[in-house]
mmCIF file with all atom_site columns, all heavy atoms in Angstrom:
data_model
loop_
_atom_site.group_PDB
_atom_site.id
_atom_site.type_symbol
_atom_site.label_atom_id
_atom_site.label_alt_id
_atom_site.label_comp_id
_atom_site.label_asym_id
_atom_site.label_entity_id
_atom_site.label_seq_id
_atom_site.pdbx_PDB_ins_code
_atom_site.Cartn_x
_atom_site.Cartn_y
_atom_site.Cartn_z
_atom_site.occupancy
_atom_site.B_iso_or_equiv
_atom_site.pdbx_formal_charge
_atom_site.auth_seq_id
_atom_site.auth_comp_id
_atom_site.auth_asym_id
_atom_site.auth_atom_id
_atom_site.pdbx_PDB_model_num
ATOM 1   N N   . ARG A 1 90  ? 13.482 18.572 -32.399 1.00 98.00 ? 922 ARG A N   1
ATOM 2   C CA  . ARG A 1 90  ? 12.306 17.695 -32.387 1.00 98.00 ? 922 ARG A CA  1
ATOM 3   C C   . ARG A 1 90  ? 12.499 16.537 -33.373 1.00 98.00 ? 922 ARG A C   1
ATOM 4   O O   . ARG A 1 90  ? 12.200 15.381 -33.049 1.00 98.00 ? 922 ARG A O   1
ATOM 5   C CB  . ARG A 1 90  ? 11.073 18.528 -32.750 1.00 98.00 ? 922 ARG A CB  1
ATOM 6   C CG  . ARG A 1 90  ? 9.764  17.760 -32.737 1.00 98.00 ? 922 ARG A CG  1
ATOM 7   C CD  . ARG A 1 90  ? 8.626  18.667 -33.210 1.00 98.00 ? 922 ARG A CD  1
ATOM 8   N NE  . ARG A 1 90  ? 7.354  17.960 -33.243 1.00 98.00 ? 922 ARG A NE  1
ATOM 9   C CZ  . ARG A 1 90  ? 6.310  18.358 -33.950 1.00 98.00 ? 922 ARG A CZ  1
ATOM 10  N NH1 . ARG A 1 90  ? 6.371  19.477 -34.661 1.00 98.00 ? 922 ARG A NH1 1
ATOM 11  N NH2 . ARG A 1 90  ? 5.184  17.670 -33.943 1.00 98.00 ? 922 ARG A NH2 1
ATOM 12  N N   . TRP A 1 94  ? 12.745 12.451 -32.303 1.00 98.00 ? 926 TRP A N   1
ATOM 13  C CA  . TRP A 1 94  ? 11.876 11.388 -32.822 1.00 98.00 ? 926 TRP A CA  1
ATOM 14  C C   . TRP A 1 94  ? 12.631 10.407 -33.697 1.00 98.00 ? 926 TRP A C   1
ATOM 15  O O   . TRP A 1 94  ? 12.248 9.233  -33.800 1.00 98.00 ? 926 TRP A O   1
ATOM 16  C CB  . TRP A 1 94  ? 10.655 11.986 -33.518 1.00 98.00 ? 926 TRP A CB  1
ATOM 17  C CG  . TRP A 1 94  ? 9.714  12.580 -32.506 1.00 98.00 ? 926 TRP A CG  1
ATOM 18  C CD1 . TRP A 1 94  ? 9.390  13.897 -32.344 1.00 98.00 ? 926 TRP A CD1 1
ATOM 19  C CD2 . TRP A 1 94  ? 9.009  11.864 -31.479 1.00 98.00 ? 926 TRP A CD2 1
ATOM 20  N NE1 . TRP A 1 94  ? 8.525  14.031 -31.284 1.00 98.00 ? 926 TRP A NE1 1
ATOM 21  C CE2 . TRP A 1 94  ? 8.279  12.811 -30.727 1.00 98.00 ? 926 TRP A CE2 1
ATOM 22  C CE3 . TRP A 1 94  ? 8.934  10.518 -31.116 1.00 98.00 ? 926 TRP A CE3 1
ATOM 23  C CZ2 . TRP A 1 94  ? 7.473  12.452 -29.648 1.00 98.00 ? 926 TRP A CZ2 1
ATOM 24  C CZ3 . TRP A 1 94  ? 8.143  10.153 -30.035 1.00 98.00 ? 926 TRP A CZ3 1
ATOM 25  C CH2 . TRP A 1 94  ? 7.422  11.119 -29.315 1.00 98.00 ? 926 TRP A CH2 1
ATOM 26  N N   . ILE A 1 106 ? 3.309  5.180  -32.806 1.00 98.00 ? 938 ILE A N   1
ATOM 27  C CA  . ILE A 1 106 ? 3.255  6.579  -32.319 1.00 98.00 ? 938 ILE A CA  1
ATOM 28  C C   . ILE A 1 106 ? 4.582  7.319  -32.541 1.00 98.00 ? 938 ILE A C   1
ATOM 29  O O   . ILE A 1 106 ? 4.577  8.469  -33.009 1.00 98.00 ? 938 ILE A O   1
ATOM 30  C CB  . ILE A 1 106 ? 2.811  6.628  -30.836 1.00 98.00 ? 938 ILE A CB  1
ATOM 31  C CG1 . ILE A 1 106 ? 1.347  6.179  -30.698 1.00 98.00 ? 938 ILE A CG1 1
ATOM 32  C CG2 . ILE A 1 106 ? 3.020  8.018  -30.238 1.00 98.00 ? 938 ILE A CG2 1
ATOM 33  C CD1 . ILE A 1 106 ? 0.314  7.143  -31.261 1.00 98.00 ? 938 ILE A CD1 1
ATOM 34  N N   . PRO A 1 107 ? 5.742  6.718  -32.240 1.00 98.00 ? 939 PRO A N   1
ATOM 35  C CA  . PRO A 1 107 ? 6.991  7.463  -32.501 1.00 98.00 ? 939 PRO A CA  1
ATOM 36  C C   . PRO A 1 107 ? 7.175  7.820  -33.974 1.00 98.00 ? 939 PRO A C   1
ATOM 37  O O   . PRO A 1 107 ? 7.676  8.905  -34.288 1.00 98.00 ? 939 PRO A O   1
ATOM 38  C CB  . PRO A 1 107 ? 8.081  6.503  -32.009 1.00 98.00 ? 939 PRO A CB  1
ATOM 39  C CG  . PRO A 1 107 ? 7.400  5.654  -30.984 1.00 98.00 ? 939 PRO A CG  1
ATOM 40  C CD  . PRO A 1 107 ? 5.998  5.468  -31.503 1.00 98.00 ? 939 PRO A CD  1
ATOM 41  N N   . HIS A 1 108 ? 6.748  6.934  -34.882 1.00 98.00 ? 940 HIS A N   1
ATOM 42  C CA  . HIS A 1 108 ? 6.874  7.245  -36.312 1.00 98.00 ? 940 HIS A CA  1
ATOM 43  C C   . HIS A 1 108 ? 5.878  8.324  -36.732 1.00 98.00 ? 940 HIS A C   1
ATOM 44  O O   . HIS A 1 108 ? 6.199  9.175  -37.567 1.00 98.00 ? 940 HIS A O   1
ATOM 45  C CB  . HIS A 1 108 ? 6.704  5.975  -37.150 1.00 98.00 ? 940 HIS A CB  1
ATOM 46  C CG  . HIS A 1 108 ? 7.892  5.067  -37.067 1.00 98.00 ? 940 HIS A CG  1
ATOM 47  N ND1 . HIS A 1 108 ? 7.989  4.040  -36.148 1.00 98.00 ? 940 HIS A ND1 1
ATOM 48  C CD2 . HIS A 1 108 ? 9.054  5.059  -37.756 1.00 98.00 ? 940 HIS A CD2 1
ATOM 49  C CE1 . HIS A 1 108 ? 9.152  3.429  -36.300 1.00 98.00 ? 940 HIS A CE1 1
ATOM 50  N NE2 . HIS A 1 108 ? 9.819  4.026  -37.269 1.00 98.00 ? 940 HIS A NE2 1
ATOM 51  N N   . LEU A 1 109 ? 4.675  8.292  -36.153 1.00 98.00 ? 941 LEU A N   1
ATOM 52  C CA  . LEU A 1 109 ? 3.709  9.369  -36.408 1.00 98.00 ? 941 LEU A CA  1
ATOM 53  C C   . LEU A 1 109 ? 4.325  10.722 -36.033 1.00 98.00 ? 941 LEU A C   1
ATOM 54  O O   . LEU A 1 109 ? 4.264  11.687 -36.799 1.00 98.00 ? 941 LEU A O   1
ATOM 55  C CB  . LEU A 1 109 ? 2.427  9.135  -35.600 1.00 98.00 ? 941 LEU A CB  1
ATOM 56  C CG  . LEU A 1 109 ? 1.438  10.304 -35.533 1.00 98.00 ? 941 LEU A CG  1
ATOM 57  C CD1 . LEU A 1 109 ? 0.850  10.618 -36.904 1.00 98.00 ? 941 LEU A CD1 1
ATOM 58  C CD2 . LEU A 1 109 ? 0.320  10.009 -34.526 1.00 98.00 ? 941 LEU A CD2 1
ATOM 59  N N   . HIS A 1 110 ? 4.939  10.782 -34.850 1.00 98.00 ? 942 HIS A N   1
ATOM 60  C CA  . HIS A 1 110 ? 5.493  12.054 -34.376 1.00 98.00 ? 942 HIS A CA  1
ATOM 61  C C   . HIS A 1 110 ? 6.755  12.444 -35.144 1.00 98.00 ? 942 HIS A C   1
ATOM 62  O O   . HIS A 1 110 ? 7.024  13.633 -35.332 1.00 98.00 ? 942 HIS A O   1
ATOM 63  C CB  . HIS A 1 110 ? 5.704  12.002 -32.861 1.00 98.00 ? 942 HIS A CB  1
ATOM 64  C CG  . HIS A 1 110 ? 4.418  12.152 -32.119 1.00 98.00 ? 942 HIS A CG  1
ATOM 65  N ND1 . HIS A 1 110 ? 3.993  13.355 -31.599 1.00 98.00 ? 942 HIS A ND1 1
ATOM 66  C CD2 . HIS A 1 110 ? 3.422  11.265 -31.863 1.00 98.00 ? 942 HIS A CD2 1
ATOM 67  C CE1 . HIS A 1 110 ? 2.799  13.196 -31.041 1.00 98.00 ? 942 HIS A CE1 1
ATOM 68  N NE2 . HIS A 1 110 ? 2.435  11.938 -31.182 1.00 98.00 ? 942 HIS A NE2 1
ATOM 69  N N   . LEU A 1 111 ? 7.511  11.449 -35.616 1.00 98.00 ? 943 LEU A N   1
ATOM 70  C CA  . LEU A 1 111 ? 8.643  11.748 -36.501 1.00 98.00 ? 943 LEU A CA  1
ATOM 71  C C   . LEU A 1 111 ? 8.124  12.401 -37.778 1.00 98.00 ? 943 LEU A C   1
ATOM 72  O O   . LEU A 1 111 ? 8.676  13.405 -38.246 1.00 98.00 ? 943 LEU A O   1
ATOM 73  C CB  . LEU A 1 111 ? 9.418  10.463 -36.826 1.00 98.00 ? 943 LEU A CB  1
ATOM 74  C CG  . LEU A 1 111 ? 10.571 10.619 -37.820 1.00 98.00 ? 943 LEU A CG  1
ATOM 75  C CD1 . LEU A 1 111 ? 11.627 11.596 -37.299 1.00 98.00 ? 943 LEU A CD1 1
ATOM 76  C CD2 . LEU A 1 111 ? 11.202 9.264  -38.126 1.00 98.00 ? 943 LEU A CD2 1
ATOM 77  N N   . GLY A 1 112 ? 7.042  11.859 -38.332 1.00 98.00 ? 944 GLY A N   1
ATOM 78  C CA  . GLY A 1 112 ? 6.446  12.451 -39.533 1.00 98.00 ? 944 GLY A CA  1
ATOM 79  C C   . GLY A 1 112 ? 6.006  13.881 -39.298 1.00 98.00 ? 944 GLY A C   1
ATOM 80  O O   . GLY A 1 112 ? 6.255  14.775 -40.123 1.00 98.00 ? 944 GLY A O   1
ATOM 81  N N   . MET A 1 113 ? 5.368  14.127 -38.152 1.00 98.00 ? 945 MET A N   1
ATOM 82  C CA  . MET A 1 113 ? 4.916  15.488 -37.830 1.00 98.00 ? 945 MET A CA  1
ATOM 83  C C   . MET A 1 113 ? 6.113  16.437 -37.692 1.00 98.00 ? 945 MET A C   1
ATOM 84  O O   . MET A 1 113 ? 6.056  17.597 -38.122 1.00 98.00 ? 945 MET A O   1
ATOM 85  C CB  . MET A 1 113 ? 4.086  15.456 -36.541 1.00 98.00 ? 945 MET A CB  1
ATOM 86  C CG  . MET A 1 113 ? 2.728  14.783 -36.745 1.00 98.00 ? 945 MET A CG  1
ATOM 87  S SD  . MET A 1 113 ? 1.949  14.147 -35.206 1.00 98.00 ? 945 MET A SD  1
ATOM 88  C CE  . MET A 1 113 ? 1.918  15.587 -34.163 1.00 98.00 ? 945 MET A CE  1
ATOM 89  N N   . ALA A 1 114 ? 7.182  15.932 -37.096 1.00 98.00 ? 946 ALA A N   1
ATOM 90  C CA  . ALA A 1 114 ? 8.387  16.756 -36.927 1.00 98.00 ? 946 ALA A CA  1
ATOM 91  C C   . ALA A 1 114 ? 9.005  17.083 -38.286 1.00 98.00 ? 946 ALA A C   1
ATOM 92  O O   . ALA A 1 114 ? 9.400  18.224 -38.542 1.00 98.00 ? 946 ALA A O   1
ATOM 93  C CB  . ALA A 1 114 ? 9.394  16.027 -36.035 1.00 98.00 ? 946 ALA A CB  1
ATOM 94  N N   . TYR A 1 115 ? 9.071  16.072 -39.161 1.00 98.00 ? 947 TYR A N   1
ATOM 95  C CA  . TYR A 1 115 ? 9.595  16.315 -40.515 1.00 98.00 ? 947 TYR A CA  1
ATOM 96  C C   . TYR A 1 115 ? 8.732  17.342 -41.245 1.00 98.00 ? 947 TYR A C   1
ATOM 97  O O   . TYR A 1 115 ? 9.246  18.225 -41.929 1.00 98.00 ? 947 TYR A O   1
ATOM 98  C CB  . TYR A 1 115 ? 9.616  15.017 -41.328 1.00 98.00 ? 947 TYR A CB  1
ATOM 99  C CG  . TYR A 1 115 ? 10.837 14.154 -41.128 1.00 98.00 ? 947 TYR A CG  1
ATOM 100 C CD1 . TYR A 1 115 ? 10.710 12.781 -40.984 1.00 98.00 ? 947 TYR A CD1 1
ATOM 101 C CD2 . TYR A 1 115 ? 12.119 14.698 -41.135 1.00 98.00 ? 947 TYR A CD2 1
ATOM 102 C CE1 . TYR A 1 115 ? 11.830 11.959 -40.836 1.00 98.00 ? 947 TYR A CE1 1
ATOM 103 C CE2 . TYR A 1 115 ? 13.241 13.896 -40.976 1.00 98.00 ? 947 TYR A CE2 1
ATOM 104 C CZ  . TYR A 1 115 ? 13.092 12.526 -40.833 1.00 98.00 ? 947 TYR A CZ  1
ATOM 105 O OH  . TYR A 1 115 ? 14.192 11.740 -40.687 1.00 98.00 ? 947 TYR A OH  1
ATOM 106 N N   . GLU A 1 116 ? 7.413  17.199 -41.094 1.00 97.00 ? 948 GLU A N   1
ATOM 107 C CA  . GLU A 1 116 ? 6.510  18.139 -41.777 1.00 97.00 ? 948 GLU A CA  1
ATOM 108 C C   . GLU A 1 116 ? 6.803  19.568 -41.356 1.00 97.00 ? 948 GLU A C   1
ATOM 109 O O   . GLU A 1 116 ? 6.807  20.482 -42.177 1.00 97.00 ? 948 GLU A O   1
ATOM 110 C CB  . GLU A 1 116 ? 5.052  17.800 -41.417 1.00 97.00 ? 948 GLU A CB  1
ATOM 111 C CG  . GLU A 1 116 ? 4.283  17.186 -42.539 1.00 97.00 ? 948 GLU A CG  1
ATOM 112 C CD  . GLU A 1 116 ? 2.800  17.125 -42.246 1.00 97.00 ? 948 GLU A CD  1
ATOM 113 O OE1 . GLU A 1 116 ? 2.374  16.160 -41.592 1.00 97.00 ? 948 GLU A OE1 1
ATOM 114 O OE2 . GLU A 1 116 ? 2.078  18.047 -42.686 1.00 97.00 ? 948 GLU A OE2 1
ATOM 115 N N   . GLN A 1 117 ? 7.057  19.750 -40.055 1.00 96.00 ? 949 GLN A N   1
ATOM 116 C CA  . GLN A 1 117 ? 7.312  21.097 -39.537 1.00 96.00 ? 949 GLN A CA  1
ATOM 117 C C   . GLN A 1 117 ? 8.547  21.712 -40.192 1.00 96.00 ? 949 GLN A C   1
ATOM 118 O O   . GLN A 1 117 ? 8.613  22.928 -40.376 1.00 96.00 ? 949 GLN A O   1
ATOM 119 C CB  . GLN A 1 117 ? 7.493  21.054 -38.011 1.00 96.00 ? 949 GLN A CB  1
ATOM 120 C CG  . GLN A 1 117 ? 7.506  22.438 -37.378 1.00 96.00 ? 949 GLN A CG  1
ATOM 121 C CD  . GLN A 1 117 ? 8.018  22.432 -35.945 1.00 96.00 ? 949 GLN A CD  1
ATOM 122 O OE1 . GLN A 1 117 ? 8.356  21.391 -35.394 1.00 96.00 ? 949 GLN A OE1 1
ATOM 123 N NE2 . GLN A 1 117 ? 8.082  23.604 -35.343 1.00 96.00 ? 949 GLN A NE2 1
ATOM 124 N N   . THR A 1 118 ? 9.526  20.888 -40.563 1.00 97.00 ? 950 THR A N   1
ATOM 125 C CA  . THR A 1 118 ? 10.746 21.411 -41.188 1.00 97.00 ? 950 THR A CA  1
ATOM 126 C C   . THR A 1 118 ? 10.636 21.441 -42.711 1.00 97.00 ? 950 THR A C   1
ATOM 127 O O   . THR A 1 118 ? 11.602 21.795 -43.386 1.00 97.00 ? 950 THR A O   1
ATOM 128 C CB  . THR A 1 118 ? 11.988 20.564 -40.790 1.00 97.00 ? 950 THR A CB  1
ATOM 129 O OG1 . THR A 1 118 ? 11.833 19.240 -41.311 1.00 97.00 ? 950 THR A OG1 1
ATOM 130 C CG2 . THR A 1 118 ? 12.167 20.519 -39.287 1.00 97.00 ? 950 THR A CG2 1
ATOM 131 N N   . ASN A 1 120 ? 10.290 18.797 -44.645 1.00 97.00 ? 952 ASN A N   1
ATOM 132 C CA  . ASN A 1 120 ? 10.824 17.568 -45.244 1.00 97.00 ? 952 ASN A CA  1
ATOM 133 C C   . ASN A 1 120 ? 9.661  16.608 -45.484 1.00 97.00 ? 952 ASN A C   1
ATOM 134 O O   . ASN A 1 120 ? 9.379  15.722 -44.682 1.00 97.00 ? 952 ASN A O   1
ATOM 135 C CB  . ASN A 1 120 ? 11.879 16.946 -44.319 1.00 97.00 ? 952 ASN A CB  1
ATOM 136 C CG  . ASN A 1 120 ? 12.465 15.661 -44.886 1.00 97.00 ? 952 ASN A CG  1
ATOM 137 O OD1 . ASN A 1 120 ? 11.947 15.084 -45.839 1.00 97.00 ? 952 ASN A OD1 1
ATOM 138 N ND2 . ASN A 1 120 ? 13.553 15.212 -44.284 1.00 97.00 ? 952 ASN A ND2 1
ATOM 139 N N   . GLY A 1 123 ? 10.557 12.815 -45.955 1.00 98.00 ? 955 GLY A N   1
ATOM 140 C CA  . GLY A 1 123 ? 10.785 12.187 -44.651 1.00 98.00 ? 955 GLY A CA  1
ATOM 141 C C   . GLY A 1 123 ? 9.472  11.927 -43.944 1.00 98.00 ? 955 GLY A C   1
ATOM 142 O O   . GLY A 1 123 ? 9.268  10.857 -43.350 1.00 98.00 ? 955 GLY A O   1
ATOM 143 N N   . ALA A 1 124 ? 8.570  12.904 -44.020 1.00 98.00 ? 956 ALA A N   1
ATOM 144 C CA  . ALA A 1 124 ? 7.257  12.763 -43.375 1.00 98.00 ? 956 ALA A CA  1
ATOM 145 C C   . ALA A 1 124 ? 6.487  11.608 -44.002 1.00 98.00 ? 956 ALA A C   1
ATOM 146 O O   . ALA A 1 124 ? 5.899  10.776 -43.292 1.00 98.00 ? 956 ALA A O   1
ATOM 147 C CB  . ALA A 1 124 ? 6.463  14.061 -43.503 1.00 98.00 ? 956 ALA A CB  1
ATOM 148 N N   . ARG A 1 125 ? 6.509  11.540 -45.349 1.00 98.00 ? 957 ARG A N   1
ATOM 149 C CA  . ARG A 1 125 ? 5.780  10.482 -46.056 1.00 98.00 ? 957 ARG A CA  1
ATOM 150 C C   . ARG A 1 125 ? 6.276  9.105  -45.604 1.00 98.00 ? 957 ARG A C   1
ATOM 151 O O   . ARG A 1 125 ? 5.487  8.219  -45.279 1.00 98.00 ? 957 ARG A O   1
ATOM 152 C CB  . ARG A 1 125 ? 5.960  10.667 -47.572 1.00 98.00 ? 957 ARG A CB  1
ATOM 153 C CG  . ARG A 1 125 ? 5.079  9.774  -48.418 1.00 98.00 ? 957 ARG A CG  1
ATOM 154 C CD  . ARG A 1 125 ? 5.152  10.178 -49.891 1.00 98.00 ? 957 ARG A CD  1
ATOM 155 N NE  . ARG A 1 125 ? 4.528  11.482 -50.111 1.00 98.00 ? 957 ARG A NE  1
ATOM 156 C CZ  . ARG A 1 125 ? 5.167  12.595 -50.500 1.00 98.00 ? 957 ARG A CZ  1
ATOM 157 N NH1 . ARG A 1 125 ? 6.461  12.581 -50.724 1.00 98.00 ? 957 ARG A NH1 1
ATOM 158 N NH2 . ARG A 1 125 ? 4.507  13.723 -50.655 1.00 98.00 ? 957 ARG A NH2 1
ATOM 159 N N   . ASN A 1 126 ? 7.600  8.931  -45.553 1.00 98.00 ? 958 ASN A N   1
ATOM 160 C CA  . ASN A 1 126 ? 8.174  7.647  -45.134 1.00 98.00 ? 958 ASN A CA  1
ATOM 161 C C   . ASN A 1 126 ? 7.806  7.314  -43.690 1.00 98.00 ? 958 ASN A C   1
ATOM 162 O O   . ASN A 1 126 ? 7.498  6.159  -43.374 1.00 98.00 ? 958 ASN A O   1
ATOM 163 C CB  . ASN A 1 126 ? 9.695  7.669  -45.294 1.00 98.00 ? 958 ASN A CB  1
ATOM 164 C CG  . ASN A 1 126 ? 10.118 7.700  -46.757 1.00 98.00 ? 958 ASN A CG  1
ATOM 165 O OD1 . ASN A 1 126 ? 9.372  7.264  -47.623 1.00 98.00 ? 958 ASN A OD1 1
ATOM 166 N ND2 . ASN A 1 126 ? 11.309 8.224  -47.016 1.00 98.00 ? 958 ASN A ND2 1
ATOM 167 N N   . ALA A 1 127 ? 7.846  8.323  -42.827 1.00 98.00 ? 959 ALA A N   1
ATOM 168 C CA  . ALA A 1 127 ? 7.549  8.088  -41.413 1.00 98.00 ? 959 ALA A CA  1
ATOM 169 C C   . ALA A 1 127 ? 6.086  7.692  -41.230 1.00 98.00 ? 959 ALA A C   1
ATOM 170 O O   . ALA A 1 127 ? 5.774  6.764  -40.461 1.00 98.00 ? 959 ALA A O   1
ATOM 171 C CB  . ALA A 1 127 ? 7.886  9.331  -40.584 1.00 98.00 ? 959 ALA A CB  1
ATOM 172 N N   . TYR A 1 128 ? 5.180  8.384  -41.934 1.00 98.00 ? 960 TYR A N   1
ATOM 173 C CA  . TYR A 1 128 ? 3.755  8.043  -41.822 1.00 98.00 ? 960 TYR A CA  1
ATOM 174 C C   . TYR A 1 128 ? 3.489  6.640  -42.369 1.00 98.00 ? 960 TYR A C   1
ATOM 175 O O   . TYR A 1 128 ? 2.687  5.887  -41.822 1.00 98.00 ? 960 TYR A O   1
ATOM 176 C CB  . TYR A 1 128 ? 2.882  9.069  -42.552 1.00 98.00 ? 960 TYR A CB  1
ATOM 177 C CG  . TYR A 1 128 ? 2.885  10.447 -41.915 1.00 98.00 ? 960 TYR A CG  1
ATOM 178 C CD1 . TYR A 1 128 ? 2.812  11.598 -42.693 1.00 98.00 ? 960 TYR A CD1 1
ATOM 179 C CD2 . TYR A 1 128 ? 2.959  10.599 -40.530 1.00 98.00 ? 960 TYR A CD2 1
ATOM 180 C CE1 . TYR A 1 128 ? 2.808  12.864 -42.112 1.00 98.00 ? 960 TYR A CE1 1
ATOM 181 C CE2 . TYR A 1 128 ? 2.964  11.853 -39.945 1.00 98.00 ? 960 TYR A CE2 1
ATOM 182 C CZ  . TYR A 1 128 ? 2.888  12.986 -40.741 1.00 98.00 ? 960 TYR A CZ  1
ATOM 183 O OH  . TYR A 1 128 ? 2.896  14.230 -40.168 1.00 98.00 ? 960 TYR A OH  1
ATOM 184 N N   . ARG A 1 144 ? -2.738 12.552 -42.028 1.00 97.00 ? 976 ARG A N   1
ATOM 185 C CA  . ARG A 1 144 ? -1.588 13.411 -42.309 1.00 97.00 ? 976 ARG A CA  1
ATOM 186 C C   . ARG A 1 144 ? -0.886 12.994 -43.599 1.00 97.00 ? 976 ARG A C   1
ATOM 187 O O   . ARG A 1 144 ? -0.435 13.835 -44.369 1.00 97.00 ? 976 ARG A O   1
ATOM 188 C CB  . ARG A 1 144 ? -0.613 13.403 -41.124 1.00 97.00 ? 976 ARG A CB  1
ATOM 189 C CG  . ARG A 1 144 ? -1.159 14.167 -39.937 1.00 97.00 ? 976 ARG A CG  1
ATOM 190 C CD  . ARG A 1 144 ? -0.188 14.150 -38.766 1.00 97.00 ? 976 ARG A CD  1
ATOM 191 N NE  . ARG A 1 144 ? -0.631 15.062 -37.734 1.00 97.00 ? 976 ARG A NE  1
ATOM 192 C CZ  . ARG A 1 144 ? -0.405 16.373 -37.745 1.00 97.00 ? 976 ARG A CZ  1
ATOM 193 N NH1 . ARG A 1 144 ? 0.267  16.931 -38.737 1.00 97.00 ? 976 ARG A NH1 1
ATOM 194 N NH2 . ARG A 1 144 ? -0.857 17.136 -36.785 1.00 97.00 ? 976 ARG A NH2 1
ATOM 195 N N   . LEU A 1 148 ? -0.400 15.381 -47.221 1.00 96.00 ? 980 LEU A N   1
ATOM 196 C CA  . LEU A 1 148 ? 0.923  15.865 -47.625 1.00 96.00 ? 980 LEU A CA  1
ATOM 197 C C   . LEU A 1 148 ? 0.890  16.384 -49.054 1.00 96.00 ? 980 LEU A C   1
ATOM 198 O O   . LEU A 1 148 ? 0.191  15.830 -49.900 1.00 96.00 ? 980 LEU A O   1
ATOM 199 C CB  . LEU A 1 148 ? 1.964  14.742 -47.529 1.00 96.00 ? 980 LEU A CB  1
ATOM 200 C CG  . LEU A 1 148 ? 2.465  14.401 -46.133 1.00 96.00 ? 980 LEU A CG  1
ATOM 201 C CD1 . LEU A 1 148 ? 3.320  13.137 -46.192 1.00 96.00 ? 980 LEU A CD1 1
ATOM 202 C CD2 . LEU A 1 148 ? 3.260  15.550 -45.538 1.00 96.00 ? 980 LEU A CD2 1
#
Side-chain angles (χ1 to χ4, degrees):
R922 182 184 179 200
W926 288 114
I938 293 290
H940 287 93
L941 168 65
H942 284 263
L943 176 60
M945 289 158 55
Y947 275 137
E948 252 192 275
Q949 191 194 359
T950 64
N952 180 347
R957 189 171 292 114
N958 291 335
Y960 293 145
R976 288 180 171 278
L980 283 171

